[in-house]
Amino acid sequence: MKKKTFNSLAIFGGNPLFEKQRPIGQLDKPPLKDFLSGLREAYDARWLTNGGRLVQRVEKICAKLHGVLHCLAVTNAGIGISILLRDIARDRKGEVILPGFSFRGLPHFIRWAGLTPRFVDVDKDSHALDLSAVKNAINKNTIAILAVSKSHSFGDREGLCALADGLEIPLIFDSVYALGAKYRGSPAGGAGLAEVFSLHATKLINGFEGGYITTNDGVLVERLQRYRNFGLGAPSHLFENIIGTNGKLNEVHAAMALASLPYLNNIVAANRIRFQNYLSALEPIPHLRMLESPQPAIESSSHVLNVLKIEAEWPLSRNQMWKLLSAEGLGVTPYYSPPLSRIQMNPSDVSPCQLPVSEKLAEHFLQLPSGKSMSEDDIKKFAGLCSFLLENAKAVKKQLEHIL
Amino acid sequence: MNNLNRLAWFGASPRIARELHAGQINLPSWEKIEKAMEKIFEREYFTNNGPLVQQFEQEFAAYLNVRHAVCVANGTFALMIMYKALDLKDEVIVPAYTFPATVQALSWAGLKPVLCDVDPKTQIPSILHIETCLTPQTSAIVLTHTWGRSAHSPKIETFAKKHGLKLAYDACHGIGCIHNGQKIGNFGMAEAFSFHATKIINAAEGGCVVTNDDGLAVKLRASRSFHACAQDPEGILRLNGKMSEAQAALALLSLEDLPLNLEANRIRYEAYRQALVGIPGVTLDDYNSALNNHQYVNVFIDEAKAGLSRDKVFDLLAAENIFCRRHFMPGMHNTPPYNNSLQNHKSMFKSTDWLCRRILQLPNSQNVSVEDVAIICDLIREIISLGPQIRLAKEE
C-alpha cells in the first residue's frame, strides 16, 4: 500500500508496507527432496555424526570449490575460529589483532581460545583491516591476526599476507562473507594459514548450522581434526597437548549443505540481480547509496549482504531510518553499530577502545533484506518509501520526536 | 586349532553379518522425520531459537521436572556454557574416569581441572577422593553420573556447602535415570545433558543445560548466541551454541520414543545379564535396574580369570562385526596435556586405571535384537573358552 500522508507510516499507526516481514538473511533453501535423500542415506547407514560420509563429501566438494588441498567441516564458523586460534597459541597467552568494525562474535571466539582481542581500525572503503593500523598494533604479545573479508570487499589481502609472512605472524581469515566472491578471479580459501566459512541458514550455503575451515597445510588439518573430536586418536608427538572439544558437523546439517551446494552459483547470480535492482531503484534518490566494492577491477561480491549507506546529508538519521523501515516490515539492522571495539556485548574482560574510522562507519550503514523474499517489486516499493520519507522528512522527523 | 577356525579373527565369516556398534543410535520412524523436516521447510525457520527448539526445551524440562532447559548444539557446548555461567574460578575437582569433554570443557572455560580417582564399584568419586584434591583455590566440584548412576548424594552436597564449593553435574549419561525419587537433572546448581546419536535421546548432536535457578537460566540463554535478549546480562562470554530446528525435530521425536527405548534397553540389558552368567572372568556392571536407562551395557574382563585380556576380546569381537568400546581408556590422568603435571602422582588413580583396563561396552541399541544379544554372549563364552588356544595361536 502506497503511503499518502506521513501519518500512514507504520511507525505512526498505519499499515505496514510489507504485510509479511522481509527477512534480513539469505534464507535460501534447497529442494526438500534433495535434503531428504541425503538424510535418508545417513538414516539407513545409522550414521548421524562423527565424521560421517556426508560430512566427508561436504569437505571434498568445498576443498574443490575453494581450490585448496584441505577442508575441515565444523559445528559452526565460530568454533572453527576458536580451534584455529587454540592451535596457533599452544597454551601461550597473548593478543589477537582483529578489526574493530566486524561481527560481534569475534572477541568471544578469541576469549574461548584463551587469548585477548586487540581491536585495530579499518580502511574507510573496504572496511577490512587497515594495514598501517595492524603494523602499529603488532607487539611481542601478538599471537595471531584475525582478518575479516567483508561482504563488499576483501580489503588489501596481499598487503596483509605479506606483512604477516614477513613477521611470521599466523594470519587467519574470517571469510564467512567471502563465499561466492572472487579476488583476482579466484575464490577465497587459500590465503594465510587458513580461512573459515559458514553454513548457517542465513548464508549462501544453508546447512541449518555449520561451518568449515580451508587450508593448504596438511599438518594443521590433522591437528584440527583432533581439536574437533576431543583430541581423540592414536598417540603421536604431532598431537600432544591438544585440548579438544566437540567441533563436529553432524550428518543432518551436512545433508542440508550438500543439497544446497549445487545452487550456490544460482544464488549468487540472483543476489547480483537483486543488488542491481537496489542500485537502480535508489539511483534517483540523493544521499542513499548501496555499499560497493572500492576495487571492482580486482574483486567481486556475492552480495550475501545488501548494505545501505545513509549519507550525512540525508534528512533522517540512520537510527530513525532503522525504526521507520523496520515498522514497515523490512528486516533491517544497523551495520556493525556500535563498532565491535566498544559494544556492550563484549566479554567483561575485554577492554573497549575508540577507533576513529570504525566509529564513523558505525553511524552510517543499515543492512537491508537479502535473499529471494525481496523481489524486484519489493525493492521498488522500498525505494518509493525512501522517496516518500525524503519528501516528508520534516514532518516525519517532528512526529518521530514524540515516539522515539 | 580347529575350534579357532570358527572365529572370524581366524578366517571364518563374521558371526553377525551387519555391523553392531556400542552406543544407542535409536532412530524414530523415517515417516515422522520426513514430516517434521517438511514442516521446517514450510516455515523456513531453520535455526536461531526456533519453535521446535523452544518446544523441545519445554517438553524436556517438564519430563525432568526442572524449571529450565537450555538447548545447545552439543553436550560439550552445554558443559562449556554451564561452567562459565556458574562463574567458577581457578580449580575444579573432576573425576579422571570420565569422557574427555567433562575435563576439556573446564580448560576451554579457563579453569584448572584437578583430577581425582573414583570408587571402583560405583565408578564415581567418593568424598575421600574429592577431599584429597581440595585446596584453597578449589571453587567447584563437577561429577559425572557415570553410566547413569547418580553421582549426587546428601554427603556430597553437605561437603560442597561446608567448603563453599559450587556443585554441578555432567549428566550426559543420565537421561531418564532416577535417584532418590527424582530424575537426574535436579541435582547441584546445574546439569549438562547430551543428545549425541549414541545417547538415548538422539538429535544427531545436541546438548542441554538444565537448572532450577532462574538467574542462571538467563545467563545460559544469553551465552549460547550473539542475539540480544530482553534480559541480557552484560559481560558474559558467549559462543555460537545454537541447536538447529533439524536437531530439535529429531530430539522431539526421540523424546516421544523415550518410554519405548527405555523399555527396550532394559529388556536387552536383562538378556545380557542372563546370557553372561557363568562366563569365567566376565562380570556385568550391574545397575539398580529400575532406576537406570540401560543406555550402556558394560562388562569387566578380568584377564587373570578369563585367560584373555579385555583388548584381545575387543579385537576378536570386532572381527565378528561386534564393535565394542573401551571407555574411558586411557583415563584423563593419562591424557595429554593433563598427564604432564601428574607424572609423580600416577598411584593416585588406581581405580581409574583398573576400570580403564577392564571395561568393555557391548552393543545396545534399536539395531540389536535379543537374538543378537544371545549371539554376542555365546561368542564371548566361546572366545573365553578358547582362551588357551587363542593365546597359543598368538604366540605362534
Side-chain angles (χ1 to χ4, degrees), chain A residues 341-392:
Chain A
S341 41
R342 60 171 182 85
I343 56 168
Q344 222 170 9
M345 198 180 272
N346 279 341
S348 54
D349 50 6
V350 169
S351 310
C353 66
Q354 293 270 342
L355 303 168
V357 179
S358 299
E359 291 290 335
K360 211 169 162 55
L361 289 172
E363 290 170 10
H364 290 291
F365 293 96
L366 203 55
Q367 200 181 318
L368 301 175
S370 299
K372 63 184 185 313
S373 69
M374 200 63 185
S375 69
E376 188 175 356
D377 266 1
D378 290 343
I379 291 171
K380 283 181 183 160
K381 273 163 79 177
F382 155 71
L385 179 64
C386 292
S387 297
F388 177 82
L389 291 173
L390 181 62
E391 285 156 21
N392 296 277

Side-chain angles (χ1 to χ4, degrees), chain A residues 18 20-25 278 306 322 325-333 366-370 374:
Chain A
F18 298 93
K20 194 180 169 203
Q21 169 89 9
R22 299 297 188 268
I24 198 163
Y278 270 119
N306 289 303
W322 171 30
L325 297 176
S326 298
E328 299 295 346
L330 286 164
V332 295
T333 192
L366 203 55
Q367 200 181 318
L368 301 175
S370 299
M374 200 63 185

Side-chain angles (χ1 to χ4, degrees), chain B residues 130-171:
Chain B
I130 295 168
E131 213 161 18
T132 318
C133 298
L134 195 65
T135 77
Q137 284 72 46
T138 308
S139 71
I141 305 165
V142 171
L143 298 177
T144 305
H145 300 301
T146 312
W147 319 128
R149 277 195 184 95
S150 171
H152 184 79
S153 70
K155 272 187 192 168
I156 292 275
E157 200 161 24
T158 310
F159 179 85
K161 262 189 197 148
K162 184 180 156 195
H163 294 281
L165 306 176
K166 292 178 178 171
L167 183 60
Y169 293 99
D170 176 338

Side-chain angles (χ1 to χ4, degrees), chain A residues 20 27-32 35-37 39-44 46-50 75-79 82-83 86 91 103-109 111-114 200-202 206 208-209 227 229-232 239-253 256 344-349 372, chain B residues 24-31 33-34 37-38 40-42 44-48 73-77 80-81 84 99-101 103-105 107-110 196-198 202-205 225-229 232 234-247 250 325 336-340 365-367:
Chain A
K20 194 180 169 203
L27 291 176
D28 274 283
K29 60 181 178 188
L32 176 66
F35 163 59
L36 288 176
S37 131
L39 185 58
R40 182 73 207 220
E41 190 183 326
Y43 183 91
D44 289 341
R46 304 181 70 80
W47 193 351
L48 294 187
T49 185
N50 294 15
T75 311
N76 55 54
I79 199 73
S82 295
I83 63 174
R86 267 202 176 261
D91 275 347
F103 173 55
R104 54 195 170 192
L106 299 183
H108 296 264
F109 305 147
R111 290 299 296 132
W112 277 114
H200 186 265
T202 56
N206 178 357
F208 289 102
E209 291 275 352
Y227 273 100
N229 191 27
F230 311 106
L232 297 174
F239 307 123
E240 274 169 16
N241 299 330
I242 285 177
I243 298 178
T245 183
N246 181 354
K248 289 169 287 179
L249 182 70
N250 67 58
E251 289 288 277
V252 184
H253 293 179
M256 185 72 159
Q344 222 170 9
M345 198 180 272
N346 279 341
S348 54
D349 50 6
K372 63 184 185 313
Chain B
Q24 290 274 281
I25 326 217
N26 297 320
L27 299 169
S29 80
W30 173 252
E31 290 69 30
I33 292 178
E34 209 171 19
M37 298 302 166
E38 266 173 39
I40 295 173
F41 268 61
E42 273 167 34
E44 297 193 342
Y45 200 144
F46 300 104
T47 183
N48 297 7
N74 59 53
T76 309
F77 288 4
M80 286 160 71
I81 65 165
K84 287 308 282 188
F99 190 69
V103 178
Q104 290 169 337
S107 300
W108 275 74
H196 184 266
T198 55
N202 169 8
E205 292 275 356
S225 83
F226 301 100
H227 296 284
C229 310
D232 237 356
E234 272 182 39
I236 56 163
L237 184 61
R238 297 166 183 250
L239 49 71
N240 177 4
K242 297 184 302 280
M243 173 184 266
S244 75
E245 286 291 278
Q247 289 174 292
L250 292 177
R325 293 198 182 201
Y338 304 104
N339 58 350
N340 293 344
S365 81
Q366 202 182 44
N367 195 32

